[in-house]
Amino acid sequence: DAGVTQSPTHLIKTRGQHVTLRCSPISGHKSVSWYQQVLGQGPQFIFQYYEKEERGRGNFPDRFSARQFPNYSSELNVNALLLGDSALYLCASSPGQGLETQYFGPGTRLLVL
Amino acid sequence: QKEVEQNSGPLSVPEGAIASLNCTYSDRGSQSFFWYRQYSGKSPELIMFIYSNGDKEDGRFTAQLNKASQYVSLLIRDSQPSDSATYLCAVNGLSGGYNKLIFGAGTRLAVHP
């Protein structure tokens, strides 16, 4: 079975631009969570979506938004990019709303210049 | 005060020894606690989770939780060089049905032959 997939794998943007990151969960998983991981730090929780509704939110500005589609895939959107948004963006899926069996994708590495 | 604190390490142990990794958290309302392992350049992978005070064992791994002291630990018995990685502690402050998973910065473990 395929694991969590994310696209693109790498991305370079300039300040002020907008970016969309995509995630496809493991088949049968209905929850997707997004994390930002800066080098040398642990992942920071951005959002969780379950059954297409937001079920968790971290301390990120409104420039960050996400949505989940009927097929349970998800998009993370970041507007007005800042240099500090450069990071590895991780998506994780789980069967239900709980985070006990959460599987991470390989991540999208975003560089903002 | 950081919400989830871990010693950054590196923690160096000889092969076959017990590695002890510690984590403290600030939110007394936290309900579930997770240990993840992250190899360099890879995504985190779940080792185990714990809800109740006491010990939980899974193979060579034992998680220990003390809610009164707001302390979580992970013991790795018979440490192997392949256990060399960064170990991330995460705490979920589920509130009103909303998840908010907070990761520590991680402890680097080095197991030497």
Side-chain angles (χ1 to χ4, degrees):
Chain A
D1 286 343
V4 178
T5 59
Q6 293 186 243
S7 62
T9 55
H10 295 82
L11 201 53
I12 299 175
K13 293 285 189 178
T14 56
R15 280 178 298 172
Q17 285 189 312
H18 162 271
V19 68
T20 298
L21 309 181
R22 295 178 174 84
C23 172
S24 291
I26 292 171
S27 178
H29 285 195
K30 298 182 178 180
S31 172
V32 169
S33 298
W34 287 96
Y35 298 84
Q36 180 196 67
Q37 187 172 25
V38 174
L39 193 64
Q41 298 295 316
Q44 286 196 67
F45 179 63
I46 309 175
F47 289 110
Q48 182 195 18
Y49 275 77
Y50 172 67
E51 289 282 18
K52 301 180 288 294
E53 291 190 0
E54 184 181 300
R55 299 306 293 174
R57 175 183 281 260
N59 297 326
F60 278 80
D62 292 343
R63 299 185 296 108
F64 289 77
S65 64
R67 55 180 176 168
Q68 186 177 34
F69 299 100
N71 66 353
Y72 302 108
S73 67
S74 178
E75 282 183 355
L76 175 70
N77 293 283
V78 186
N79 293 323
L81 285 166
L82 303 174
L83 296 180
D85 295 330
S86 296
L88 179 67
Y89 288 84
L90 294 162
C91 170
S93 77
S94 52
Q97 185 179 342
L99 300 175
E100 295 78 7
T101 50
Q102 183 173 222
Y103 296 89
F104 282 84
T108 293
R109 190 162 297 279
L110 172 66
L111 177 61
V112 182
L113 301 176
Chain B
Q1 181 189 6
K2 291 182 181 178
E3 294 182 82
V4 178
E5 293 207 50
Q6 297 181 256
N7 188 320
S8 62
L11 173 65
S12 182
V13 301
E15 184 174 356
I18 296 176
S20 177
L21 304 159
N22 304 316
C23 171
T24 58
Y25 60 95
S26 60
D27 183 0
R28 284 195 172 275
S30 299
Q31 300 185 10
S32 49
F33 307 85
F34 304 82
W35 282 101
Y36 286 84
R37 176 175 62 196
Q38 187 172 27
Y39 292 109
S40 181
K42 300 293 186 182
S43 300
E45 51 182 338
L46 181 68
I47 300 172
M48 61 194 309
F49 58 89
I50 186 168
Y51 295 122
S52 306
N53 279 327
D55 296 358
K56 179 180 179 182
E57 186 174 319
D58 185 359
R60 295 188 295 115
F61 299 95
T62 299
Q64 300 174 317
L65 174 61
N66 184 325
K67 289 186 177 180
S69 300
Q70 295 174 247
Y71 177 90
V72 194
S73 66
L74 180 71
L75 301 178
I76 306 175
R77 291 180 297 281
D78 189 23
S79 295
Q80 301 297 310
S82 59
D83 293 326
S84 298
T86 295
Y87 288 80
L88 299 162
C89 171
V91 174
N92 190 11
L94 185 65
S95 175
Y98 272 66
N99 288 307
K100 186 177 180 183
L101 189 64
I102 309 296
F103 279 84
T107 298
R108 283 191 297 129
L109 173 67
V111 181
H112 53 87

